[in-house]
Amino acid sequence: AASRRGGGDSIRNMPDVEEKVPLKAPGDAQCRSCKPETSAPTREDQRGPEDHPALLSVTGLIGTVDDVSKLSNKIGMNHDFHVKEKVSSPSSLEGKVKETMHNAFWDHLKEQLSATPPDFSCALELLKEIKEILLSLLLPRQSRLRGEIEEALDTELLKRKAEHGALNVSLLSKYILDMMTLLCAPVRDEAVQNLENITDPVRLLRGIFQVLGLMKMDMVNYTIQSLQPHLQEHSIQHERATFQELLNKQPSLLDHTTKWLTQAAVDLTMPLPICLDISDSTTMACSSPNETVSSPEPLSPTMVLSQGFLNLLLWDPENEEFPETLLMDRTRLRELESQLHRLTLLASVLLVASSFSGSVLFGSPQFVDKLKRMTKDLIEEFDSSPEEAMQTVSEQVSQEIHQSLKNMGLAALSSDNTASLIGQLQNIAKKEDCVRSVIDQRIHLFLKCCLVLGVQRSLLDLPGGLTVIEAELAELGQKFVSLTHHNQKVFGPYYTEILKTLIPPAQALENEVESL
């Protein structure tokens, strides 16, 4: 859930969340002008899936998918799916328009309440909206609270009090805050408490709406979390049934998938070229491609499928024989490939830089973080102009190392070492560069371990040169494992049948890919 903001003047600057509660049907002009934009539902509590709103209701609240089926598939494939806070930049046109409209509404409310006698028309609309939001946060079994809210915020009763000038907005706001404290998740406690310090009724109501919006967003996210296992199973069954229907009409639909797994098995049975380790100095070289690993591991469904998934991260864009079972995931795989490519460049730069920086300088977290941020920004232009990008990287990294050594009172790089540093950084622009090749191999090895052992276990023993990008690797590994895990769940039976024809019975250590 989005981070909370509360208290004092910060309340009026709280951003809207992504979802919007639709306005009521058009009524009279006065009522329409009294409807502020609010945020959509949710809240965290201990309810079970049977207590939550229907999936269709969640679909309506999120407003980012066309139907329940699409929502189910989207959530099923992403364990971390959640509704995010949408924050418009204050300098953007959307942000300026929103801020202007919101300020106009709350200024109008202030004028009404300050009039003699006070005009409570907008305040009544706000209280009605707040009542509906509070009721939406209740469980079906909370009938006592429901009755209490219905009575305390009874629309007709409040309207009669307003007609007699006896509507106490401050007292009602206090009741609302007490109810919010009772219903909100612990993460919102501080935001609600901060509202209690606001004495101005208009600012208080504005703050109440903002925090209620966050509470409602919590509700959607927790509802999604509770339904996730059911949605995942639904997504798996739906995707598999859809694919089977197509396969029944087109028996050749698995041809590319078969070829993909066959190539993965071939890759595992062939000796692989190795690269000598990288030294800690300026002499870095690769071994001959003829130097190979002598004994490949016995084939197993796990290894073949893992190799196949890794091969997808190296897929030639010109090769149109993409496995049919992964067509839906092709865009996400390209994004992962791009992320892997950027991490390879980043780790390569940091590895070269570390060999020239010395243990004292590179042992400084502040220096390493600064170098990482700088390099991440500079390699954004790598795809369009690799040589120019690495030229800039080499210049700025060498300058940063030189200045940092100077600031710490350490010996500066000699002219020869500076030239060597710049040269090695510029060489990273070439695909055949040894440093880049070794880092690329090690990241692929890490991802392979993630598929077999899991992300957390793989992080415990990172290959050399990767510890500096551990957080980034954890994110990449989790995304990759999530994608492949869902794909295996859907298409496991098809993979099992194909692998039976590729792996000799004596080497088939597992029976079903589904169990991976």
Side-chain angles (χ1 to χ4, degrees):
S3 61
R4 63 172 172 263
R5 298 174 174 84
D9 293 333
S10 64
I11 288 296
R12 65 186 301 275
N13 296 318
M14 289 176 64
D16 292 330
V17 293
E18 182 176 346
E19 303 76 34
K20 300 297 180 185
V21 174
L23 299 179
K24 295 289 188 293
D28 59 84
Q30 185 182 53
C31 286
R32 288 201 302 272
S33 68
C34 294
K35 299 298 292 182
E37 284 193 61
T38 60
S39 315
T42 167
R43 162 178 185 271
E44 297 178 41
D45 55 30
Q46 300 302 314
R47 66 182 66 187
E50 69 278 359
D51 291 324
H52 286 296
L55 178 57
L56 183 59
S57 299
V58 177
T59 307
L61 290 170
I62 294 177
T64 57
V65 289
D66 296 328
D67 52 37
V68 175
S69 179
K70 288 184 180 180
L71 175 63
S72 175
N73 291 343
K74 192 171 184 179
I75 298 174
M77 291 183 64
N78 184 0
H79 292 274
D80 297 323
F81 180 89
H82 62 280
V83 182
K84 296 181 180 179
E85 181 183 11
K86 181 180 179 182
V87 181
S88 301
S89 171
S91 60
S92 67
L93 178 60
E94 180 184 7
K96 291 178 180 179
V97 170
K98 230 179 232 185
E99 183 69 12
T100 300
M101 293 178 63
H102 286 193
N103 288 339
F105 168 79
W106 295 108
D107 288 344
H108 177 59
L109 175 62
K110 186 173 184 177
E111 290 176 3
Q112 284 193 341
L113 295 181
S114 301
T116 306
D119 181 352
F120 293 110
S121 55
C122 277
L124 287 171
E125 287 295 320
L126 289 177
L127 292 171
K128 181 180 178 182
E129 183 74 11
I130 289 172
K131 172 187 170 183
E132 292 174 358
I133 295 173
L134 291 175
L135 292 175
S136 73
L137 298 176
L138 296 177
L139 302 179
R141 61 177 177 270
Q142 292 178 303
S143 55
R144 184 185 63 79
L145 277 179
R146 183 174 299 276
E148 182 181 321
I149 294 173
E150 291 276 12
E151 181 179 353
L153 299 177
D154 180 79
T155 304
E156 292 302 320
L157 177 61
L158 296 180
K159 186 176 180 180
R160 288 196 296 271
K161 287 185 176 181
E163 290 172 351
H164 293 85
L167 188 65
N168 191 329
V169 176
S170 297
L171 185 61
L172 289 170
S173 296
K174 176 65 170 61
Y175 171 80
I176 292 167
L177 287 178
D178 290 342
M179 194 58 61
M180 289 171 65
T181 300
L182 182 64
L183 297 177
C184 78
V187 71
R188 305 300 172 200
D189 284 344
E190 183 179 347
V192 176
Q193 289 171 7
N194 288 334
L195 294 178
E196 295 175 356
N197 299 324
I198 302 176
T199 56
D200 179 73
V202 175
R203 286 180 50 222
L204 179 56
L205 285 172
R206 185 169 189 170
I208 285 173
F209 263 87
Q210 296 289 352
V211 177
L212 281 175
L214 296 177
M215 289 171 61
K216 294 167 71 179
M217 187 169 64
D218 293 339
M219 169 75 86
V220 168
N221 286 326
Y222 190 74
T223 300
I224 289 172
Q225 183 184 33
S226 299
L227 294 173
Q228 206 277 337
H230 307 285
L231 298 179
Q232 183 183 40
E233 183 60 29
H234 173 273
S235 174
I236 291 169
Q237 298 301 330
H238 174 74
E239 288 183 56
R240 187 183 298 167
T242 301
F243 186 82
Q244 184 61 50
E245 290 179 8
L246 295 174
L247 186 61
N248 292 339
K249 298 176 183 177
Q250 188 179 347
S252 63
L253 193 58
L254 284 170
D255 287 358
H256 293 166
T257 301
T258 302
K259 187 173 182 179
W260 162 61
L261 290 176
T262 302
Q263 184 59 52
V266 171
D267 292 342
L268 289 172
T269 55
M270 293 181 63
L272 299 175
I274 61 172
C275 190
L276 291 179
D277 204 355
I278 300 173
S279 69
D280 59 355
S281 184
T282 60
T283 57
M284 303 183 183
C286 280
S287 63
S288 166
N290 293 325
E291 296 186 76
T292 60
V293 175
S294 55
S295 55
E297 296 183 32
L299 289 182
S300 71
T302 300
M303 299 307 295
V304 174
L305 199 54
S306 296
Q307 183 63 44
F309 285 129
L310 287 171
N311 288 348
L312 295 174
L313 297 178
L314 301 171
W315 197 266
D316 182 0
E318 301 298 322
N319 185 355
E320 298 181 357
E321 297 182 346
F322 200 81
E324 299 89 346
T325 55
L326 284 137
L327 288 174
M328 294 287 290
D329 300 317
R330 194 166 189 177
T331 299
R332 294 178 68 197
L333 284 166
R334 284 176 178 171
E335 293 173 354
L336 292 178
E337 180 184 2
S338 177
Q339 187 175 349
L340 185 154
H341 179 56
R342 291 193 299 273
L343 287 183
T344 298
L345 296 173
L346 174 61
S348 299
V349 170
L350 295 175
L351 183 58
V352 171
S354 68
S355 67
F356 288 89
S357 303
S359 58
V360 176
L361 181 57
F362 219 76
S364 167
Q366 293 79 10
F367 172 77
V368 175
D369 288 343
K370 185 175 182 180
L371 214 57
K372 282 178 67 173
R373 290 195 304 270
M374 175 193 303
T375 305
K376 283 181 179 180
D377 292 338
L378 295 176
I379 61 177
E380 287 296 323
E381 304 300 324
F382 185 89
D383 291 338
S384 57
S385 51
E387 293 183 359
E388 290 82 351
M390 292 314 301
Q391 172 73 28
T392 305
V393 169
S394 65
E395 293 173 354
Q396 296 206 22
V397 168
S398 62
Q399 289 176 10
E400 185 62 34
I401 292 176
H402 174 79
Q403 188 60 46
S404 297
L405 288 171
K406 182 179 178 181
N407 293 342
M408 296 182 71
L410 301 173
L413 294 178
S414 66
S415 57
D416 288 344
N417 280 344
T418 299
S420 181
L421 169 62
I422 292 175
Q424 290 189 37
L425 289 174
Q426 290 178 351
N427 284 338
I428 295 174
K430 305 172 184 176
K431 289 183 178 180
E432 64 274 13
D433 175 68
C434 184
V435 179
R436 179 173 166 183
S437 297
V438 170
I439 291 297
D440 187 62
Q441 290 173 18
R442 291 177 178 177
I443 293 180
H444 278 85
L445 175 61
F446 166 75
L447 291 176
K448 189 171 187 177
C449 290
C450 287
L451 294 179
V452 178
L453 303 175
V455 177
Q456 294 307 314
R457 285 184 62 186
S458 301
L459 288 171
L460 296 178
D461 190 23
L462 286 175
L466 299 189
T467 53
V468 73
I469 58 168
E470 180 178 348
E472 292 84 356
L473 284 176
E475 179 186 352
L476 174 65
Q478 192 57 57
K479 289 180 180 179
F480 190 48
V481 169
S482 177
L483 184 152
T484 57
H485 178 77
H486 181 82
N487 183 267
Q488 290 176 54
K489 288 287 187 179
V490 176
F491 298 104
Y494 304 103
Y495 294 151
T496 298
E497 292 304 311
I498 294 173
L499 290 171
K500 283 179 181 179
T501 66
L502 301 178
I503 303 176
Q507 290 184 334
L509 304 179
E510 297 143 303
N511 294 323
E512 293 187 359
V513 173
E514 278 185 300
S515 65
L516 299 182

